[in-house]
Amino acid sequence: MNFITELGNSLYSTFVLDNRWQWFLSGLGYTLLISFFAVLVGLVIGVVMAFGRLSKNKLFRGISGLYIDIIRGTPTMVQLLIIYFIIFANVNIDRWMVGVIAFGINSGAYIAEIVRGGILSIDQGQTEAGRSLGLTQRQTMTYIIIPQAVKNILPALGNEFIVLIKETAVIGMIANIDLVGAARKVQSLTYDYVVPMLSIALIYYVVIKIVSILLKAFENKLRKSDIR
């Protein structure tokens, strides 16, 4: 009974007292907001860098390779701190936008390899068929290769979004605006480190589970269309 009573008191002080549940709701909103826009930024950068890696232009290929190598070879937290405390040190910008930029740049390196792998997974015969029909290399890539590659890379892009949702937890290094930030606010008032952390762990799990189910359903739908 004592355990149940203490748990009830902890839950009350974590969520109910002073409407602290709103902190977690706001934190969840920022987590999803940053993750969503970071994926969009990463997708744009990734596509450009993927074509750079496949380019015959040595300079473009070299820049793309260097970018991917540096971003994948350094911790996300270090990249976030460099962008916030060095690049945007004297710039008045919302911290969640710094998170979008930092995580978008980080995600772009991984998406670049996903896109590149998707394009390379298409049989060379598809390109030859397009060229034999009189299509230019750009037209062949646009109308034949890319549409097929998109289906191959969508599951990996979904996984990248899931990874980003979890990685955004490090934004607490510059601002307590996400779920981790909400837990820290509660901890500073209640000195209870167990319930707030277990609560956000459960929230993360539920959100990622929902996203995973939606992505799985979308992937199955694409497979059905392939069978038809």
Side-chain angles (χ1 to χ4, degrees), residues 12-31:
Y12 177 81
S13 60
T14 299
F15 293 102
V16 180
L17 186 63
D18 297 330
N19 292 323
R20 291 172 184 169
W21 61 269
Q22 295 180 357
W23 298 350
F24 291 89
L25 183 62
S26 175
L28 176 60
Y30 273 111
T31 295

Side-chain angles (χ1 to χ4, degrees), residues 30 80 82-102 105 171 174-175 177:
Y30 273 111
L80 176 65
I82 289 174
I83 290 175
Y84 181 69
F85 288 108
I86 298 177
I87 297 177
F88 289 108
N90 299 315
V91 179
N92 185 17
I93 182 173
D94 289 339
R95 295 179 183 182
W96 73 269
M97 292 186 65
V98 175
V100 169
I101 295 170
I105 292 174
I171 200 173
I174 65 172
I177 59 175

Side-chain angles (χ1 to χ4, degrees), residues 32 54 78 89 181 218:
L32 296 177
L54 298 171
V78 174
F218 184 63

